[in-house]
Amino acid sequence: DATREWWRLEGKMCLISVLSIFTSVLLPLFGLGQVANDLHPAIAWFDQMNSELKQLNHEAAQYAWEASTLPTQSSAATVEKIGQLTVRKAHWERTMCGRGEQHRDFNASLGRALQLLCRSWVNTDDEMRQMTELLGFMQTIYTGTQICVDESYDACDGNQVLWEKTHFKYPQFEENEVQDLKTKENKETGKICLFGEPDMEQIMTKATIHQFSKQSDCKINESDILKWAWHSWRMAVGPPIKQTYGKLIHLMNNGARRVGFQDAGDSWREELEMPNLRATVHRLWQEVKPLYQKFHAVIRHFLRKRYPEIKDFDRLGLIPAHILGDMWSQNWETYAASIVPHEVDIEHNFKRMNWTGRQLVKRAEDFYSSTGLPMMTKQFWEKSVFKRGANVTKCHGTAANMYEEGDFRMIVCAGSTSSDFYVVMHEMGHIMYYMLASDQPTIFQDGTNSAFQESIGDTIHLASMSPLHLTRLGLLNSSYLKPEVDNTLNSFDYALLMKTALVKIPALPFAYIMDRYRWDLFEGSANFEEDANRYFWYLLESEQGIKPPLNTDRTHLFDAAAKYHFPDNTPYVRYFLANILSFQLLEGLCRKSIYGSVDSPYQLPMPLHRCDLYGSKRVGRVLKKALAPGGSQRWTTVLKALTGTEEISVDSMVRYFEPLTKYLDKIIEQQGIPVGW
């Protein structure tokens, strides 16, 4: 009795497993099985809930893995299984929450478990089946649609012929599903067929744009090819996904409102456990927007010179979205070397190393494990997917917790590029969080919130791109570590900072817009039927400073669906917050590595981007301590453990890019570049 009272008062979750072993193993040996009935009902409920949740999560993870790695035709049965599981789990949650409510005040840990378990929407069985079908359809459209071009096309044919020789190849569906789309399916040979990720995406980065030139003497009109890739992908996936998304909004809102949320967006925001999240995100964006506007101004100035043939591209105007080097205009890295040229080309050096996907993952593992964090498991290496194969239709980076001991997996169609290295480091951050929290009860194994889940890998990736670690990877000669500018930096530092900035800074407005847009659709302040695409472009123009490359009516299109997370129905503001958090965490870990305290008042002895965390056991220990509790602790507790403060702030990001910002200010002043649009 004294032991149970101590558990109730102190909330020591580890005692649950001790009591379980005592009850199931030792008591029967002594003929004292009846004592098990004396366990407090709250403890019994907690044990049962976690045991059953683990099995349900394992089933869901297995089905999700099958849906990602089986051919489209084979995954239809999996989608049906997911639908059945969704209904079954919803019934289970309602039953378990009803039984557990009486124990909410038993202690803080059990109260938190109930909070995490019982915040799901409540949809009818029919609504859940409909939602599963709609989501399955949207995801299949996104991952399975191909843009096909006749092999006979050549740059000499011109842009109009390119469009004439373009066909959309859609995945197979059951009868009565999008019949108007099936008529366009191309089954002929002699065509080049490209998936959205990574094929069309690589055209946008100009990595594979040469395939349109063949052996002819005609010069590729780069702008026209990019415009074709940008627009054809949106034409292919937008309209069919729009057919279903309006229905999904209605069903999601129904479920959210039944449990007291104003709408589905309100429910999404609650997961992050940040009061006044909309106001917080808006404030953070306004604080960092001036920095974004400087990069926007310099890129616009550069692109107007690069593409003089583009009309209606004003020095104070919006940037045409197709020329920013990315399918979604959120990553401008491809222009870094042109704006800050340097004899060291990191991208070229990545290609020169010619690492396979597995080798790239090994290098990521080396960085994490150097700090004392665990190595990847045997199951990880046996079951992960590191390249697109015949049975892999989904190439979007994915980290999976299979809810079985040691079974963590990754999907990444990786080659030897810096962007692939980022994806690998990012996904391994998820897996590391899963591994560290795996000793927690099942309900707490997902991490403190989704923004923190996304930030860990981003933080370690920033650290892995320090000049010193680039020399370890063989990507940089150590001579470039020597200061040569103002006795603190090498000219390479500016090139590296620009490369990082053009990945991180443009991602902020895009991430801000993606969920602001959906929140407004959910609450009805933006009319889905009439203004879905018009409102999306209003946000892109006003906040991101970009415009569509074609002056055509886009009302019937649904351009937001061109991004994976939209048909996957994944909230996106987590990436906005994670982007900012990653710099804040990097600074805290850097202080821990050097001074032994995350909130040391002493100034760092080097610029933040030069901080080297490789091999720092201090960093590994503080990460283990902060992340091992998983979701049992609120995000503010974890943030304080890693930074010394409970407030999310853009200050570390601003400090990280401060040397480059001063460099940009000089360029803007010297060349009279206007800022803003």
Side-chain angles (χ1 to χ4, degrees):
D1 290 338
T3 299
R4 294 184 199 120
E5 180 66 13
W6 170 80
W7 187 92
R8 184 180 71 81
L9 293 174
E10 298 298 324
K12 301 295 186 180
M13 305 308 298
C14 61
L15 189 58
I16 295 174
S17 57
V18 174
L19 287 170
S20 298
I21 295 171
F22 184 66
T23 301
S24 61
V25 179
L26 298 181
L27 294 185
L29 292 177
F30 293 94
L32 298 175
Q34 69 274 11
V35 178
N37 295 325
D38 293 337
L39 280 178
H40 195 287
I43 302 175
W45 175 88
F46 190 83
D47 269 343
Q48 181 185 358
M49 180 272 292
N50 279 291
S51 175
E52 294 176 1
L53 180 61
K54 180 178 181 179
Q55 180 57 37
L56 289 166
N57 285 355
H58 171 66
E59 285 186 59
Q62 190 61 48
Y63 293 152
W65 185 261
E66 290 174 6
S68 297
T69 57
L70 292 178
T72 302
Q73 294 83 351
S74 303
S75 64
T78 300
V79 172
E80 185 176 348
K81 292 177 185 176
I82 292 173
Q84 294 170 354
L85 175 61
T86 301
V87 172
R88 183 155 50 92
K89 186 175 181 181
H91 282 289
W92 174 84
E93 283 182 353
R94 287 199 287 270
T95 300
M96 196 57 67
C97 289
R99 288 174 49 197
E101 186 60 36
Q102 61 184 309
H103 308 305
R104 182 176 291 275
D105 297 327
F106 182 72
N107 71 3
S109 293
L110 198 145
R112 179 150 180 80
L114 274 166
Q115 176 192 355
L116 297 177
L117 180 69
C118 305
R119 61 187 179 186
S120 301
W121 306 332
V122 175
N123 287 96
T124 67
D125 291 359
D126 182 59
E127 286 175 337
M128 283 186 281
R129 278 189 285 268
Q130 289 184 60
M131 289 171 65
T132 301
E133 291 173 2
L134 293 172
L135 287 168
F137 171 77
M138 292 194 303
Q139 291 162 2
T140 302
I141 285 289
Y142 188 92
T143 59
T145 297
Q146 297 175 70
I147 312 298
C148 299
V149 182
D150 292 359
E151 282 186 343
S152 61
Y153 174 76
D154 188 77
C156 293
D157 294 337
N159 190 48
Q160 183 175 344
V161 175
L162 173 60
W163 280 105
E164 291 172 354
K165 294 187 176 183
T166 297
H167 308 272
F168 302 153
K169 182 178 180 180
Y170 288 97
Q172 291 284 355
F173 291 98
E174 298 296 327
E175 292 300 321
N176 301 321
E177 288 193 67
V178 287
Q179 290 292 329
D180 56 320
L181 302 180
K182 291 180 68 176
T183 60
K184 298 180 182 178
E185 184 177 348
N186 164 50
K187 297 183 179 179
E188 302 173 20
T189 58
K191 297 185 183 297
I192 300 172
C193 290
L194 308 168
F195 288 99
E197 291 187 46
D199 303 330
M200 298 296 283
E201 184 181 358
Q202 289 175 349
I203 290 175
M204 296 302 297
T205 66
K206 297 187 277 295
T208 58
I209 201 169
H210 63 276
Q211 65 186 297
F212 292 95
S213 63
K214 297 189 180 295
Q215 303 299 319
S216 73
D217 296 328
C218 297
K219 182 180 179 181
I220 291 178
N221 186 318
E222 187 176 278
S223 176
D224 281 347
I225 297 294
L226 295 175
K227 187 184 300 182
W228 166 83
W230 186 95
H231 189 54
S232 63
W233 178 241
R234 284 159 176 78
M235 286 180 63
V237 301
I241 290 176
K242 186 178 183 181
Q243 291 179 19
T244 62
Y245 198 74
K247 301 174 187 175
L248 188 64
I249 289 175
H250 175 70
L251 294 170
M252 291 167 66
N253 278 343
N254 281 352
R257 286 166 180 158
R258 287 193 185 104
V259 290
F261 293 111
Q262 294 178 358
D263 51 58
D266 187 26
S267 170
W268 279 8
R269 292 189 293 274
E270 194 274 340
E271 182 272 333
L272 289 162
E273 298 184 316
M274 294 185 181
N276 303 313
L277 177 63
R278 292 185 90 154
T280 298
V281 169
H282 180 72
R283 172 183 60 80
L284 292 169
W285 168 234
Q286 293 305 313
E287 289 174 358
V288 80
K289 189 174 182 179
L291 181 61
Y292 171 76
Q293 289 175 321
K294 289 181 181 180
F295 284 97
H296 180 279
V298 172
I299 283 287
R300 178 177 57 196
H301 179 75
F302 166 77
L303 291 177
R304 290 185 73 246
K305 292 182 177 180
R306 183 181 178 106
Y307 297 104
E309 72 276 13
I310 297 179
K311 308 301 180 185
D312 192 28
F313 186 9
D314 188 75
R315 66 190 297 267
L316 270 170
L318 304 168
I319 301 176
H322 68 298
I323 58 173
L324 281 164
D326 174 72
M327 180 62 81
W328 311 281
S329 307
Q330 67 175 119
N331 183 334
W332 307 344
E333 181 185 8
T334 188
Y335 295 119
S338 299
I339 296 174
V340 182
H342 196 273
E343 58 188 344
V344 176
D345 185 343
I346 290 296
E347 198 60 50
H348 171 77
N349 290 347
F350 263 102
K351 292 177 182 177
R352 176 177 53 81
M353 300 303 285
N354 198 30
W355 287 319
T356 64
R358 179 175 287 267
Q359 289 171 331
L360 210 60
V361 175
K362 279 288 187 183
R363 277 148 184 80
E365 180 190 45
D366 173 62
F367 194 100
Y368 280 91
S369 63
S370 76
T371 67
L373 294 173
M375 304 278 282
M376 294 296 102
T377 63
K378 181 174 181 287
Q379 295 97 315
F380 173 87
W381 293 109
E382 291 175 347
K383 298 179 179 180
S384 292
V385 175
F386 302 133
K387 62 181 180 180
R388 183 188 287 275
N391 290 336
V392 179
T393 58
K394 175 182 174 182
C395 262
H396 189 85
T398 302
N401 179 3
M402 304 304 291
Y403 291 91
E404 284 198 334
E405 185 174 356
D407 196 353
F408 308 98
R409 307 178 190 178
M410 180 187 293
I411 296 176
V412 55
C413 300
S416 195
T417 69
S418 63
S419 59
D420 288 334
F421 184 58
Y422 163 74
V423 173
V424 167
M425 293 294 292
H426 175 86
E427 299 304 335
M428 192 167 285
H430 285 297
I431 291 174
M432 191 58 62
Y433 209 155
Y434 295 148
M435 292 173 70
L436 292 175
S438 62
D439 288 336
Q440 288 289 328
T442 309
I443 190 67
F444 297 139
Q445 288 182 17
D446 277 345
T448 186
N449 71 18
S450 56
F452 253 93
Q453 265 283 4
E454 301 297 339
S455 70
I456 302 304
D458 281 13
T459 301
I460 303 303
H461 175 258
L462 283 173
S464 73
M465 292 297 289
S466 71
L468 183 55
H469 192 63
L470 291 176
T471 65
R472 291 192 190 97
L473 292 172
L475 298 168
L476 181 68
N477 188 290
S478 60
S479 63
Y480 293 101
L481 300 177
K482 299 176 182 177
E484 62 181 24
V485 180
D486 299 329
N487 296 318
T488 56
L489 298 178
N490 187 285
S491 58
F492 172 74
D493 286 276
Y494 292 96
L496 180 63
L497 280 169
M498 179 60 79
K499 183 177 177 68
T500 304
L502 293 186
V503 174
K504 295 293 185 178
I505 303 300
L508 288 168
F510 181 82
Y512 169 73
I513 289 165
M514 280 294 284
D515 268 7
R516 178 179 166 184
Y517 173 65
R518 285 186 285 186
W519 294 342
D520 291 345
L521 290 181
F522 292 147
E523 72 178 12
S525 58
N527 187 293
F528 177 79
E529 296 299 331
E530 298 177 7
D531 296 322
N533 216 40
R534 186 184 299 116
Y535 182 62
F536 185 58
W537 277 102
Y538 162 76
L539 293 175
L540 291 172
E541 291 174 4
S542 60
E543 302 296 344
Q544 201 171 355
I546 63 172
K547 64 180 181 179
L550 298 171
N551 293 321
T552 56
D553 181 18
R554 307 190 68 80
T555 305
H556 65 291
L557 297 175
F558 193 42
D559 292 331
K563 180 66 176 174
Y564 170 82
H565 299 75
F566 206 96
D568 196 58
N569 210 37
T570 301
Y572 211 85
V573 75
R574 62 183 63 171
Y575 301 103
F576 175 87
L577 296 169
N579 194 348
I580 294 170
L581 278 169
S582 63
F583 292 91
Q584 199 171 350
L585 297 183
L586 176 67
E587 184 166 9
L589 294 177
C590 187
R591 293 184 181 281
K592 179 69 176 181
S593 179
I594 296 171
Y595 299 118
S597 172
V598 296
D599 57 353
S600 169
Y602 299 112
Q603 185 175 349
L604 291 176
M606 78 288 286
L608 185 53
H609 76 279
R610 277 197 166 217
C611 186
D612 182 45
L613 302 183
Y614 184 86
S616 173
K617 299 303 187 285
R618 285 177 172 176
V619 166
R621 285 193 294 270
V622 74
L623 281 172
K624 284 181 183 178
K625 185 176 180 180
L627 302 184
S632 67
Q633 293 183 344
R634 290 176 59 88
W635 69 273
T636 50
T637 302
V638 181
L639 181 61
K640 187 168 185 177
L642 295 176
T643 67
T645 179
E646 295 184 352
E647 297 292 328
I648 184 170
S649 167
V650 302
D651 292 347
S652 295
M653 174 181 271
V654 172
R655 276 193 289 272
Y656 184 96
F657 291 115
E658 186 175 9
L660 183 61
T661 305
K662 293 178 180 178
Y663 177 83
L664 287 183
D665 287 340
K666 291 180 181 178
I667 294 177
I668 289 170
E669 182 180 359
Q670 291 171 357
Q671 301 194 30
I673 300 174
V675 177
W677 54 87

